[in-house]
């Protein structure tokens, strides 16, 4: 029986399989007997898998040897371009097969294919966007293209976000010319000059820390076309028109980029509503320390509006900047920039505030305001940097001056005038040195910052009677130094252990008085003191190809002493605090970059906690910044972020969520009467929490020339506050969802964009029986039509419907349109703004349990004709 | 050599927007003749992405494989486009000025590899600084391992194969188009190679166009010096890494006072395809 089974198995085996070695050879010729060189011979099995192959030589001969166990039948394909293919099937019986083939001539045709340059290409951690694939004729600057790139968002200030996180560096040809003030480039460079926009994910700008310290931020790099390098490029733009009065504008932008030097120069001015302050502001991490005195008085004490200032500012704006960078060698660069901005902006608004009192009654205050803001800002910066894979040395010196002289004409049953005069100076020097020696890394940092606000004053008067209502002066000085050093030891290829020690010192002085001659009943504040933080932060990092885990345990010793110079009271604190932070970076399901962080940190108060005498910020509003006790807050948190991208499919998705529990020893308090509002703080232990969730999903559909984006968020905030000596719990929720579609079609003759956003803010407090809900709808649409290539007709629509706190709603509609003609380097444009001649814009929002309704007088319908020459 | 040096510097200055005498621009262009070898049956244009780890930069260049019955040529796509444009003159006189405009537009280089199927040899036409060189070697018989993967490259289903060749580990994707050829010196697979990349990611060559233009295969008759593959590669490496050393003797620029000008040391973008 066993023998029979064996025989049966062998027979079965032999039916399907053949001998172990087979050699197939032969000669391939034409029908005239000429040998064919380079013909392809493939041997495949029944599944069409290629088992072996050969190429015929100069004599037309080929030989294939197969050594593995072979199937009974093999398929041999003979092919060569210009000849008809022949397929033979052979039984695998003999060890040697000789097959001579004659190929018949045949017309050779292939399917012609042209692959467009990929719109999005991934090379390692770099995502490269081909500008040509995303640009549209309607684009005015490279920022218009960047806004359209999937995975990238740009806010109203020009700040760029990748997968929800702000970028940490902006480069032009891999060099940082602008030091974070990249709106100068993105809002002025013509997209025709740019070849690609690249995102460097997990960008570590210091080469010595590459592959050692992980970064969860990204950087953006513009790469110019070859034709745009080594020569000056830019534009000159001038125009005039009429609206409320005569409109004018004049702008000049020039740039030259070469391997050793980059320079950008701008000079601009207009009164068409566009301000220039945003162009020169720092959009990456801000290192400037402000004095307490500078931040006391806001530029908009009677509120502002959540629409672009160009809709309602009557302005005269001017700005000039010079930016230059020299590449001394591969690693050493020197950069300098200087800019000056002047803004004279006027606007008219009305605010209606509904203050909720504890007996559920409401105190309503209505103010109308005509503001004239007059600001000068000067920035100067020098930077030298040597960045190589063994060391990083950098020194950055920044000087800043801000001067403002504002006037507010207010009508609150009485006509009054309030003025704000402010001078502020600042100088900061930041040095960093990182050195790598084998497995050891040494890190030295020094930050020295000095700010002074020698003059900061508001004066409120009643012009009709020439009587003084309020005089409030606040002056201050801030000195800050941070010296740190760290040492890391690469235990192994994957493990890093280290310790960082730092010494940080703050010295602040603040003085306020609300009368030229202080009296006991009108005393101000006179506080000075220091805060010294000595930190030791041991850390450990584990990094392999699958994940990175980093844990830090900061131990901080606080030595604080502030002194109230008026009363002589001293407020010392000498106490250590321990924090912890642990982050895990890994790829979920192989392709979703995920970061999970948990931790606990403390925020220890400063000089503001001892500014207890209320300070007037408007003629009827006061604020006491502190309680007289040092504010101490601990924050326990957990956060998760996940990013997915498939550059070939053009899909980018991001999700961020976090939950925080905050324990504090002080809460805010408000006291309201019909004539005055006082904000302050009191000492009481309390706990609050907040949770948020944000998502963004975008898909670039190349064959439709369309990008779809869906985004949204949810915020939940719970905190305690005090109103009229009663402690209250306030819960605020905000939900928003939005969709954006951008497309070009009909051979790019039509380009359009539609953005729809819905948001709802809901608030409950202990003293309200009903929720307060405010709904907000926003629709923006842009359309450009090109009847011929050189002619563009464009149109934009802005529609907003928002609930007002007065149980009504407001609809706001703006329409702009224009026509643009382009001929080589010249562009002529006629633009009409606010074509519906909308007069007023209104909206409401909730702050604590008070509702604010703002209305603003808009710029009326206006036209401007402009000419631009590009070089 | 002096004549070529003169022409090189004149063209270089012209392309740098310097002012040249009008008479020169109006003179007939004296172009090197093309030696024709074969007629092209099909062409494949590749995008070649190269990474230079010293400069930490990527560069894209475009190269074209022209396939004929007996010869094939792999060279710069800009040079192919320029030659195609020059064909439209068809005997009419081309001036130096017109040629300079075309040269600037297509930015060609005339380095190429020509494979001769009949004698199974390839000739490499190259340039180091301003000197032209040629070396010859047998067409490499690369030993490929056939793998199981499939991918769509340039609209064609391709099969995967791997091999080590001259210091790099290559992954090639070959199609069912029965041509034993591919980018650079790669070949010896039963189908046209449409994509090749080395394991380090420093070289990625991928087909982006497949077409059948009527064109001839040939090379420009510059004055080539015969050398060997090893000597050529060594010389090219020296030039790319220390180009300043080549500006010596009569080629060294001078300061206005007649003293020799110091040329700064600078590495040019370079990452050789063959490391041995």
């Amino acid at each position: 029986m066993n023998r029979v089974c064996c025989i049966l198995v062998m027979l079965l085996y032999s039916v399907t399989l053949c001998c172990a070695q087979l050699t197939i050879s032969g000669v391939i010729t034409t029908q005239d007997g000429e040998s064919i060189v380079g013909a392809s011979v493939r041997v495949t099995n029944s599944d069409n898998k290629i088992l072996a192959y050969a190429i015929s030589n100069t004599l037309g001969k080929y030989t294939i040897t197969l050594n593995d166990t072979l199937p009974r039948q093999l398929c041999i394909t003979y092919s060569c371009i210009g000849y008809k293919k022949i397929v033979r099937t052979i039984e695998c019986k003999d060890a040697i097969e000789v097959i001579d083939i004659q190929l018949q001539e045949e017309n050779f045709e292939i399917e012609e294919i042209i692959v467009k340059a990929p719109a999005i290409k991934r090379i390692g951690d770099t995502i490269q966007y081909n500008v040509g694939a995303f640009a549209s004729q309607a684009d005015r600057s490279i920022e218009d293209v960047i806004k359209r790139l999937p995975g990238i968002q740009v806010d109203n200030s020009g700040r760029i976000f990748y997968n929800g996180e702000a970028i940490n560096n902006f480069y032009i040809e891999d060099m940082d010319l602008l030091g974070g003030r990249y709106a100068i480039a993105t809002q002025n460079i013509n997209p025709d000059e740019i070849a690609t926009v690249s995102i460097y994910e997990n960008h570590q700008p210091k080469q010595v820390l590459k592959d050692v310290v992980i970064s969860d931020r990204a950087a953006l790099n513009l790469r110019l076309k070859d034709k745009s390098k080594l020569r000056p490029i830019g534009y000159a733009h001038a125009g005039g028109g009429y609206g409320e009065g005569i409109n004018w504008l004049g702008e000049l932008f020039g740039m030259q980029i070469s391997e050793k030097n980059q320079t950008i120069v701008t000079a601009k001015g207009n009164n068409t509503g566009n301000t220039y302050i945003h162009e020169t502001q720092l959009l990456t991490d801000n290192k400037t320390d402000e004095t307490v005195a500078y931040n006391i008085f806001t530029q908009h004490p009677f509120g502002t509006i959540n629409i672009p200032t160009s809709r309602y500012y009557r302005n005269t704006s001017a700005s000039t900047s010079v930016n230059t960078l020299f590449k001394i060698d591969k690693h050493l660069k020197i950069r300098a920039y200087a800019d000056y901005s002047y803004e004279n902006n006027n606007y008219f608004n009305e605010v209606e505030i509904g203050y909720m009192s504890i007996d559920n009654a409401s105190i309503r205050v209505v103010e109308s305001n005509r503001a004239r803001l007059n600001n000068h800002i000067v920035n100067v910066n020098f930077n030298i940097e040597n960045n190589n894979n063994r060391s990083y040395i950098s020194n950055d010196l920044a000087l800043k001056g801000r001067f403002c002289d504002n006037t507010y004409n207010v009508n609150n049953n009485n006509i009054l005038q309030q003025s704000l005069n402010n001078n502020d100076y600042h100088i900061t020097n930041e040095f960093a040195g990182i050195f790598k020696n084998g497995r050891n890394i040494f890190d030295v940092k020094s930050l020295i910052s000095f700010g002074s606000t020698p003059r900061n004053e508001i004066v409120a008067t009643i012009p009709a009677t020439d009587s003084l209502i309020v005089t409030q002066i606040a002056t201050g000085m801030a000195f800050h130094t941070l010296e740190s050093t760290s040492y890391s030891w690469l235990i192994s290829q994957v493990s890093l252990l280290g310790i960082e020690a730092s010494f940080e010192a703050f010295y602040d002085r603040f003085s306020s008085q609300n009368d030229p001659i202080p009296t006991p009943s009108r005393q101000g504040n006179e506080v000075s003191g220091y805060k010294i933080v000595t930190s030791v932060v041991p850390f450990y990092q584990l990094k392999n190809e699958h994940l990175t885990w980093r844990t830090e345990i900061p131990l901080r010793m606080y030595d604080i002493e502030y002194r109230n110079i008026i009363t002589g009271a001293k407020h010392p604190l000498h106490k250590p605090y321990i924090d912890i932070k642990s982050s895990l970076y890994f790829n979920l399901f192989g392709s979703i970059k995920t970061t999970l962080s948990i931790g606990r940190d403390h925020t220890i108060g400063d000089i503001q906690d001892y500014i207890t005498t209320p300070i007037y910020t408007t003629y009827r509003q006061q604020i006491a910044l502190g309680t007289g006790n040092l504010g101490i807050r601990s924050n326990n948190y957990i956060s998760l972020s996940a990013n997915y991208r498939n550059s070939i499919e053009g899909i980018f998705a991001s999700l961020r969520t976090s939950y925080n529990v905050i324990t504090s020893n002080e809460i805010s308090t408000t006291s309201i009467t019909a004539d005055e509002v006082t904000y302050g703080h009191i000492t009481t232990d309390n706990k609050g929490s907040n949770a948020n969730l944000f998502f963004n999903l975008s898909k670039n559909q190349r064959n439709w020339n369309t990008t779809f984006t869906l985004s949204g968020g949810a915020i939940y905030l719970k905190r305690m506050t005090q109103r009229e000596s009663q402690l209250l719990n306030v819960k605020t929720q905000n939900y928003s969802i939005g969709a954006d579609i951008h497309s070009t079609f009909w051979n790019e003759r039509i380009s359009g964009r539609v953005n729809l956003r819905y948001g709802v803010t809901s608030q409950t407090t202990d003293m309200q029986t009903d929720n307060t809900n405010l709904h907000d709808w926003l629709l923006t649409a842009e359309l450009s039509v090109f009847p011929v290539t050189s002619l563009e007709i464009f149109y934009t629509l802005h529609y907003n419907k928002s609930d007002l706190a007065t149980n009504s709603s407001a609809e706001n509609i703006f329409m702009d349109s224009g026509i643009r003609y382009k001929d080589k380097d010249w562009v002529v444009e006629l633009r009409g703004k606010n074509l519906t001649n909308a007069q007023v814009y209104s909206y409401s929002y909730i702050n604590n349990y008070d509702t604010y309704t703002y209305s603003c007088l808009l710029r009326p319908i206006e036209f401007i004709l402009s000419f631009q020459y590009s070089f | 050599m002096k004549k070529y040096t003169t022409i090189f510097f004149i063209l270089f200055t012209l392309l740098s927007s310097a002012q040249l005498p009008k008479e020169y621009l109006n003179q007939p262009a004296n172009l090197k003749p093309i030696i024709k070898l074969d007629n092209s049956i099909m062409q494949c244009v590749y995008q070649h992405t190269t990474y230079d780890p010293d400069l930490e930069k990527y560069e894209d260049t475009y190269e074209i494989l022209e396939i004929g019955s007996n010869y094939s040529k792999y060279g710069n796509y800009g040079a192919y486009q320029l030659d195609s444009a020059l064909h439209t003159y068809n005997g009419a006189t081309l001036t130096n000025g017109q040629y300079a405009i075309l040269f600037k537009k297509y930015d060609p280089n005339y380095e190429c590899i020509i494979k001769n199927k009949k004698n199974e040899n390839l000739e490499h036409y190259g340039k180091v600084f301003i000197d032209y060189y040629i070396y010859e070697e047998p067409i490499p018989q690369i030993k490929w391992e056939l793998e199981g993967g499939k991918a769509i490259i340039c609209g064609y289903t391709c099969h995967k194969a791997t091999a080590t060749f001259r210091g790099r580990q290559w992954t090639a994707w070959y199609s069912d188009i029965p041509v034993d050829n591919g980018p650079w010196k790669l070949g010896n697979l039963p189908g046209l190679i449409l994509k090749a990349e080395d394991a380090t990611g420093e070289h990625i060559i991928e087909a982006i166009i497949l077409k059948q233009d009527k064109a001839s295969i040939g090379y420009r008759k510059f004055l080539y010096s015969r050398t060997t593959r090893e000597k050529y590669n060594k010389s090219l490496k020296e030039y790319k890494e220390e180009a300043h050393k080549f500006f010596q003797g009569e080629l060294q620029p001078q300061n206005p006072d007649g003293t020799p000008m110091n040329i700064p040391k600078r590495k040019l973008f370079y990452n050789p395809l063959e490391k041995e």
Side-chain angles (χ1 to χ4, degrees), chain A residues 37 40 42 50 53 55 57-58 79-81 108-115 121 123 207 259 330, chain B residues 41 47 54 58 60 117-118 120 146 154 156 174-176 178-180 188-190 208-210 212:
Chain A
V37 181
S40 158
R42 295 188 189 193
I50 304 172
Y53 71 95
I55 314 287
N57 63 14
T58 52
S79 56
C80 186
I81 53 167
F108 174 68
E109 276 186 22
I110 54 159
E111 186 187 350
E112 294 199 349
I113 291 183
I114 297 174
V115 173
K121 196 159 74 169
I123 308 170
Q207 290 183 35
E259 198 179 323
K330 185 182 169 188
Chain B
I41 300 171
Q47 180 178 19
D54 294 323
Y58 284 96
D60 280 342
K117 281 202 294 189
K118 287 245 184 277
E120 293 183 326
L146 301 186
C154 200
Y156 283 81
Y174 63 96
S175 63
D176 293 324
V179 172
D180 159 27
N188 204 35
L189 279 166
I208 57 170
I209 301 176
L210 273 167
Q212 284 185 285

Side-chain angles (χ1 to χ4, degrees), chain B residues 59-247:
Chain B
E59 267 193 17
D60 280 342
T61 52
Y62 294 90
E63 290 147 6
I64 182 168
L65 174 65
E66 300 169 75
I67 297 165
S69 309
N70 298 311
Y71 289 86
S72 70
K73 177 183 174 187
Y74 185 76
N76 175 254
Y77 189 42
Y80 175 87
Q81 290 176 304
L82 175 59
D83 288 344
S84 302
L86 291 174
H87 265 116
T88 61
Y89 281 86
N90 202 19
T93 307
L94 177 78
T95 65
N96 283 324
Q98 290 168 324
Y99 179 70
I101 291 168
L102 290 171
F103 193 96
K104 187 176 178 182
K105 180 178 176 182
Y106 293 111
D107 189 25
N109 83 58
Y110 286 100
E111 296 171 41
C112 64
I113 292 170
I114 295 179
K115 291 180 185 172
N116 184 336
K117 281 202 294 189
K118 287 245 184 277
N119 66 14
E120 293 183 326
N121 270 351
L122 71 81
E123 286 182 329
H124 181 285
Y125 296 82
K127 188 177 172 189
V128 176
F129 188 40
I130 55 172
D131 299 317
Y132 292 91
Y133 296 95
I134 179 175
Y135 70 78
E136 198 173 328
E137 60 167 330
I139 295 175
Q141 299 300 309
I142 302 172
K143 297 275 183 284
W144 295 96
E145 290 286 334
L146 301 186
E147 310 263 347
K150 279 189 185 180
I152 306 288
I153 312 283
C154 200
Y156 283 81
T157 302
C158 293
H159 314 274
K160 187 178 174 183
T162 55
T164 300
F165 178 61
R166 303 229 170 122
R168 291 191 185 272
Q169 285 177 305
W170 289 97
T171 299
W173 297 87
Y174 63 96
S175 63
D176 293 324
I177 300 171
V179 172
D180 159 27
N181 218 319
W184 182 51
K185 295 179 183 177
L186 301 175
N188 204 35
L189 279 166
L192 177 65
I193 298 174
L194 294 184
K195 182 175 178 180
E197 54 187 319
D198 93 295
T200 62
E202 290 172 357
H203 288 279
I204 304 171
I205 313 172
E206 185 169 349
I208 57 170
I209 301 176
L210 273 167
K211 55 181 181 165
Q212 284 185 285
D213 284 348
K214 284 189 170 49
S216 55
I217 298 174
Y219 62 94
R220 282 219 179 256
K221 198 182 172 191
F222 293 108
L223 198 64
Y224 290 97
S225 302
R226 286 231 163 238
T227 184
T228 63
R229 180 177 71 85
E230 291 78 8
K231 283 182 184 172
Y232 174 77
N233 286 343
K234 182 171 177 287
S235 188
L236 183 65
K237 184 172 187 287
E238 283 167 4
Y239 167 62
K240 293 289 187 179
E241 289 181 355
E242 294 182 309
H244 63 288
K245 288 187 177 171
F246 285 73
F247 286 90

Side-chain angles (χ1 to χ4, degrees), chain A residues 152-260:
Chain A
I152 297 180
Q153 303 86 40
V154 183
D155 70 11
N156 290 334
S157 68
R159 182 173 276 120
I160 298 172
F161 297 80
Y162 176 68
N163 277 347
E165 292 278 354
I167 60 170
N168 64 354
N169 283 92
F170 179 91
Y171 302 117
I172 302 174
E173 293 289 327
D174 289 317
M175 292 205 279
D176 185 3
L177 166 66
L178 298 164
R181 296 141 63 248
Y182 52 79
I184 295 175
T186 56
Q187 293 179 3
N188 290 291
I189 298 177
N190 190 320
D192 285 342
E193 314 291 2
I194 306 296
T196 61
V197 172
S198 299
I199 288 286
Y200 301 149
E201 292 184 322
N202 301 120
H203 179 62
Q204 174 52 260
K206 300 173 181 119
Q207 290 183 35
V208 68
L209 297 179
K210 206 173 170 185
D211 296 327
V212 176
V213 175
I214 197 162
S215 166
D216 52 6
R217 306 276 290 281
L220 186 144
N221 179 49
L222 299 183
R223 204 164 286 290
L224 273 65
K225 293 178 180 171
D226 287 341
K227 70 176 179 77
S228 306
K229 299 179 195 172
L230 299 174
R231 64 178 187 91
I233 57 174
Y235 66 82
H237 188 201
Y242 191 80
E244 208 167 38
I246 296 186
N247 292 336
W248 59 268
L249 83 92
E251 296 177 341
L252 179 67
F253 170 81
M255 177 172 88
Q256 178 151 334
I257 304 293
S258 67
E259 198 179 323
K260 296 285 187 185

